């Protein structure tokens, strides 16, 4: 006696192109990618920051470096640094809560809740940088 099996439907042409399969970027994958990218950005920042600290040995070079930090591009950089640190910290907290507290079924809600907290922290902490940019460009 033979058993009928259901055949798996063929993948749609839009989902598969050659060797690579398209992924749907959902909340979990976005959180994972953004966490990795913010981590890499923070490492790059630390390398540049440590390289800039060599100016501490020469007073004139140090004063020139500090004066250049008042340029608008550095205010944008400060804001982006704050955003990367806050996002990385909030997502790290989310990962700890999921791993150690067992909040696995609530991952999406936890992501959006901590995302709202992150936006509030970025807005409050980034206010001086945004204010300086508005003042610089004639506000």
């Amino acid at each position: 006696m033979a058993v009928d099996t259901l055949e798996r439907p063929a993948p749609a042409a839009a989902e598969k192109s050659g060797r690579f399969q398209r992924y749907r970027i959902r909340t979990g994958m976005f959180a994972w990618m953004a966490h990795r990218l913010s981590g890499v950005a923070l490492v790059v920042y630390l390398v540049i920051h440590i390289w800039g600290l060599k100016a501490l040995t020469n007073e004139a070079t140090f004063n020139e470096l500090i004066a250049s930090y008042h340029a608008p591009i550095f205010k944008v950089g400060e804001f982006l640094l704050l955003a990367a640190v806050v996002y990385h910290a909030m997502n790290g907290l989310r990962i700890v809560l999921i791993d150690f507290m067992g909040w696995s079924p609530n991952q999406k809600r936890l992501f959006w809740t901590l995302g709202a907290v992150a936006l509030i922290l970025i807005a409050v902490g980034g206010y001086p940088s945004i204010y300086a940019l508005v003042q610089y460009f004639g506000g």
Side-chain angles (χ1 to χ4, degrees), residues 7 9 39-40 46 55 57 73 79 88 91 111-113 119 124 134:
E7 290 187 25
V40 168
L46 282 174
T57 59
I73 189 71
F79 185 79
H88 198 78
N91 196 51
F111 174 79
W112 290 112
T113 302
L119 285 177
V124 170
V134 169

Side-chain angles (χ1 to χ4, degrees), residues 15-134:
E15 290 183 358
K16 204 168 192 179
S17 64
R19 291 177 36 192
F20 299 104
Q21 181 179 1
R22 285 182 56 190
Y23 289 101
R24 294 182 187 191
I25 298 179
R26 294 192 174 119
T27 308
M29 182 174 271
F30 173 77
W32 179 81
M33 288 189 315
H35 192 75
R36 296 307 185 267
L37 289 174
S38 65
V40 168
L42 291 173
V43 168
V44 168
Y45 165 75
L46 282 174
V47 168
I48 293 170
H49 180 71
I50 290 171
W51 177 74
L53 286 178
K54 71 179 184 178
L56 288 173
T57 59
N58 184 348
E59 186 177 344
T61 307
F62 177 74
N63 290 335
E64 182 181 319
L65 182 66
I66 293 300
S68 70
Y69 285 160
H70 295 289
I73 189 71
F74 285 102
K75 295 300 178 190
V76 172
E78 284 177 2
F79 185 79
L80 293 176
L81 175 64
L82 173 70
V85 167
V86 169
Y87 173 78
H88 198 78
M90 289 294 112
N91 196 51
L93 176 62
R94 183 186 72 88
I95 291 169
V96 166
L97 289 174
I98 289 169
D99 287 347
F100 294 119
M101 303 293 283
W103 290 6
S104 189
N106 301 322
Q107 285 189 42
K108 191 179 282 190
R109 188 175 347 157
L110 188 59
F111 174 79
W112 290 112
T113 302
L114 289 176
V117 171
L119 285 177
I120 292 169
L121 290 173
I122 291 169
V124 170
Y127 177 75
S129 295
I130 300 299
Y131 182 76
L133 282 172
V134 169

